[in-house]
Amino acid sequence: MSTAATFAIPGPPRPRCTLFGLGGMGMGIGLRIVAGGLALAAHDICTGRHAQWTARAGQAAPHTPEDSNIVLLALGDMNATDTLLADLLPRIAPGTLVVDHGTAAPDFLARWQARWPELRFCDAPLSGGSAGAQAGTLAAFIGGADADVSRAHPGLRTYCSHMTHFGPLGSGCVAKAANQVAIAGIARGLAEAVAIGRTAGLDPVRLLDTLGQGNAGSRQISDAILRLGQDEATETLFRTGYAWLGKDLAIGAELAPDLPLLQLVKRLLAQP
């Protein structure tokens, strides 16, 4: 009697990830990936951050960016990402998936895809900040081909609790722009709520805390308590506390230049 041979059907290759950017969010992302059991090599131009990474994550995975099949970017802005990609893309293997977590213009990665068609790209900007990265509760706004998004999922699941694939490359950046406009509108509304309370001498921290218990509640309330609940001018605190939104709102304004709230908040943030 013959015995039938059995063969294991190979699954998709195990992700070998390289992460560039170990700032507040990048550090949390990297630690979550390692805790999830995936092979990760991490890099940052800041030697202090890299030393901190080594101390917290232990021995780095032995692979190089050239040996990776997924490259994750968690950099501060499009200029930094542009500089890195110009150096990196000629060196990595065809078929490597590049996932950009930065907030960028919707056509940003498409320009690189056109220059390097043998590589794969996903835009996956994130929301939730450093705390969300550390807790693994980030939200990802994803754009890219179905197969590429599926490849990215095992890594994303280690640090994201909510992932939405909005459509082709660039769609995630459009969704993130919408997210930033929503944050800006809420932040502005809270700033003006504090201003109204101050006309009657109301304590801004107590006011914001109470607003957070009702229909005005949002995740921005606790941030607003820190940023706006001080004895300083509301306008100054709004512009300095939320200045980081300025470049993101510029992306939204390119997409929809006629939105009045977007233009108002963008102008207020730009004032000296």
Side-chain angles (χ1 to χ4, degrees):
M1 186 174 77
S2 63
T3 302
T6 59
F7 300 93
I9 299 175
R14 183 172 174 79
R16 294 187 308 278
C17 303
T18 294
L19 170 67
F20 288 93
L22 291 170
M25 187 175 284
M27 181 69 72
I29 288 170
L31 293 172
R32 294 291 304 187
I33 292 173
V34 171
L38 299 183
L40 177 71
H43 304 271
D44 196 285
I45 59 172
C46 174
T47 55
R49 288 178 182 171
H50 202 272
Q52 182 185 5
W53 165 258
T54 302
R56 297 182 67 180
Q59 184 64 37
H63 61 264
T64 65
E66 291 84 354
D67 297 326
S68 302
N69 48 32
I70 297 179
V71 172
L72 306 169
L73 309 177
L75 304 178
D77 57 54
M78 287 189 293
N79 290 333
T81 305
D82 254 333
T83 300
L84 174 63
L85 290 177
D87 174 70
L88 177 68
L89 298 190
R91 299 189 281 116
I92 59 178
T96 300
L97 175 62
V98 178
V99 180
D100 183 16
H101 288 318
T103 300
D107 64 345
F108 177 69
L109 283 184
R111 298 198 300 267
W112 286 105
Q113 177 84 82
R115 293 175 59 184
W116 298 94
E118 68 272 27
L119 301 175
R120 306 306 304 165
F121 295 85
C122 285
D123 56 303
L126 304 168
S127 182
S130 300
Q134 294 171 17
T137 58
L138 293 173
F141 309 85
I142 308 172
D146 290 347
D148 298 329
V149 174
S150 294
R151 283 180 63 192
H153 265 199
L156 290 172
R157 278 196 296 266
T158 64
Y159 50 93
C160 297
S161 60
H162 192 92
M163 299 173 285
T164 303
H165 181 196
F166 285 94
L169 194 63
S171 301
C173 289
V174 175
K176 180 61 184 290
N179 179 78
Q180 302 304 76
V181 171
I183 289 175
I186 294 169
R188 183 63 203 172
L190 293 174
E192 296 193 4
V194 169
I196 290 173
R198 281 177 169 151
T199 64
L202 303 186
D203 178 83
V205 173
R206 293 180 66 194
L207 174 61
L208 288 171
D209 182 64
T210 305
L211 292 178
Q213 310 309 309
N215 288 339
S218 78
R219 292 185 180 181
Q220 295 302 310
I221 287 282
S222 58
D223 192 46
I225 288 174
L226 294 174
R227 296 182 187 277
L228 303 173
Q230 309 295 325
D231 293 328
E232 297 182 41
T234 300
E235 293 301 323
T236 301
L237 279 166
F238 174 72
R239 290 197 298 273
T240 57
Y242 293 92
W244 55 274
L245 276 172
K247 65 179 180 62
D248 301 345
L249 295 182
I251 295 171
E254 287 289 326
L255 294 168
D258 297 327
L259 296 179
L261 177 63
L262 190 160
Q263 294 295 343
L264 170 64
V265 177
K266 183 170 173 285
R267 185 173 69 251
L268 290 171
L269 286 173
Q271 291 176 356

